[in-house]
Amino acid sequence: MSDRVNMRGAVVSGAPSDEGATARGPSMRLTVERGLSIPIPSPHEVRIRVKAIGVNPIDVDIVEGLLGSICPFTPGFDCAGDVDSVGSAVHSLQPGDRVYTFSKSKMGCYAEFCVVPENEVFKLLDTLTYAQGACVGLPYFTAYKAMCIMDRVKPGESVLVHGAAGADGLAATQLARAMGLTVIGTARSTEGVELVVKNGAHHCFDENKTGYTHKVTEVTGGAGPDVILEMATRNGSLQTDVDLLAHKGRIHVTGWRARSGVDPWITINKQCEIKITALLQSHTDDIRQCACAVLAGMEYGWLKPVVGRSFPLEEVADAHRWLTDPPQGAGGGSVILTL
């Protein structure tokens, strides 16, 4: 157990009038501060000495005030590290255990220490580094919940993963290949296409190039994919997905960058389903299923998180910029913060 009382951490604050109230938009500021109090775990919580932090699109959205949050706060849902101390009612973990989190009930991972409910902390096997462990929670849980719990994919089906070079996309690609699906990916650079194929996709196409939709139709024998995972909808992308989809197929949205309308008549004609995964609203049983699947992936080797870029905690603002607007030639993978 640490005998320190203070720590470094990223803090989001609003305008003076926003403090203690729900803040949105450009008034919100992200800074790294020293001298923050190290949190004390309640009876059912675990305190983690953080080694690496996963940076996800939802973190950026929250920091930018798109969802509205009470300031000040420390963001972050995913991290990996060692158990530092446990609450009096915690029995499944002990100090020194290597762990990763998907802390859906509370933020706070962008710091040297964080406290997380016991049922949102999971063992990190020695097969993964702390950096890889920080990339597990939200990306792999999202992929498993979308495909296995909600879409109930079956071996032999085909899945098209849009944004397959990102953290969620690579997780979905690895999982789908392990389950016996035909995996088709899209990416936005030559480097991204190569990365997706390296991680198990049978086919991957550059969606910036004209005609990629015809190639998707061609490799599915003209039928279209049974399932389409839309990692970040953009204007018109859902309509394109409906056009591509197989009859009675499923489209699953896990992230969005713009509203994307769909002609209901085409949806009806395809007799397709469109679903949305909101992982932060997941039932505890769903999270438990995801964690068990991830454990199997660690044990048997199909789960291989890819760290695309790492930043020290002090450069958290740069990490957010990289995630939302990666430079030309960036291959993909997860963005993490290190301590």
Side-chain angles (χ1 to χ4, degrees):
M1 179 185 298
S2 173
D3 56 3
R4 294 168 52 188
V5 295
N6 294 322
M7 66 175 186
R8 288 178 298 148
V11 176
V12 178
S13 56
S17 60
D18 291 333
E19 299 303 301
T22 299
R24 294 178 183 270
S27 66
M28 300 177 74
R29 303 181 305 277
L30 176 64
T31 57
V32 176
E33 298 183 8
R34 297 178 179 272
L36 300 175
S37 297
I38 293 178
I40 298 173
S42 69
H44 292 279
E45 290 182 328
V46 175
R47 185 166 72 201
I48 299 167
R49 182 189 289 266
V50 177
K51 302 288 187 180
I53 302 156
V55 180
N56 297 295
I58 191 169
D59 299 319
V60 179
D61 291 344
I62 290 171
V63 167
E64 291 182 349
L66 300 181
L67 304 180
S69 300
I70 297 177
C71 293
F73 66 91
T74 294
F77 299 99
D78 286 350
C79 72
D82 298 320
V83 174
D84 181 66
S85 65
V86 299
S88 58
V90 173
H91 302 294
S92 64
L93 296 163
Q94 59 185 5
D97 285 346
R98 299 177 83 246
V99 294
Y100 74 94
T101 70
F102 170 57
S103 180
K104 77 181 185 70
S105 9
K106 61 192 301 184
M107 294 182 285
C109 290
Y110 279 31
E112 290 183 286
F113 293 86
C114 65
V115 293
V116 180
E118 178 185 12
N119 62 1
E120 296 172 8
V121 182
F122 312 97
K123 292 286 185 70
L124 178 66
L125 299 191
D126 291 336
T127 53
L128 297 185
T129 65
Y130 290 114
Q132 289 176 305
C135 309
V136 172
L138 200 149
Y140 283 87
F141 285 20
T142 296
Y144 185 85
K145 182 177 179 181
M147 287 196 292
C148 300
I149 297 176
M150 298 183 69
D151 286 333
R152 299 186 179 185
V153 296
K154 301 183 290 293
E157 288 191 309
S158 58
V159 58
L160 171 62
V161 183
H162 282 304
D168 291 11
L170 289 175
T173 296
Q174 293 173 5
L175 174 60
R177 184 61 186 261
M179 294 184 64
L181 278 72
T182 297
V183 187
I184 309 159
T186 68
R188 291 180 156 257
S189 68
T190 300
E191 294 82 1
V193 168
E194 292 173 353
L195 180 64
V196 174
V197 171
K198 183 178 179 180
N199 278 272
H202 295 86
H203 313 277
C204 188
F205 305 114
D206 187 336
E207 61 182 285
N208 288 325
K209 294 183 178 179
T210 303
Y212 89 88
T213 56
H214 299 297
K215 294 179 180 178
V216 171
T217 302
E218 182 179 316
V219 299
T220 56
D226 299 299
V227 176
I228 297 178
L229 296 183
E230 186 64 73
M231 299 303 179
T233 60
R234 293 175 295 277
N235 290 326
S237 60
L238 280 182
Q239 187 64 63
T240 300
D241 289 342
V242 172
D243 293 339
L244 273 174
L245 193 66
H247 187 65
K248 293 187 177 180
R250 293 96 81 198
I251 296 171
H252 211 115
V253 178
T254 67
W256 43 89
R257 281 288 170 263
R259 295 184 181 275
S260 185
V262 178
D263 180 347
W265 288 109
I266 294 180
T267 306
I268 292 169
N269 290 338
K270 281 287 182 83
Q271 296 187 44
C272 63
E273 298 178 276
I274 299 177
K275 301 178 183 179
I276 298 175
T277 291
L279 196 64
L280 294 180
Q281 282 71 49
S282 297
H283 191 275
T284 301
D285 288 344
D286 288 347
I287 298 301
R288 188 180 300 115
Q289 283 188 54
C290 294
C292 289
V294 162
L295 178 61
M298 285 191 271
E299 290 174 333
Y300 294 103
W302 64 257
L303 185 147
K304 300 175 182 177
V306 177
V307 178
R309 187 72 160 81
S310 63
F311 295 82
L313 177 63
E314 285 73 17
E315 296 178 12
V316 58
D318 293 332
H320 280 201
R321 281 190 288 271
W322 177 284
L323 184 66
T324 55
D325 188 21
Q328 184 70 29
S334 295
V335 177
I336 66 167
L337 302 170
T338 57
L339 296 103

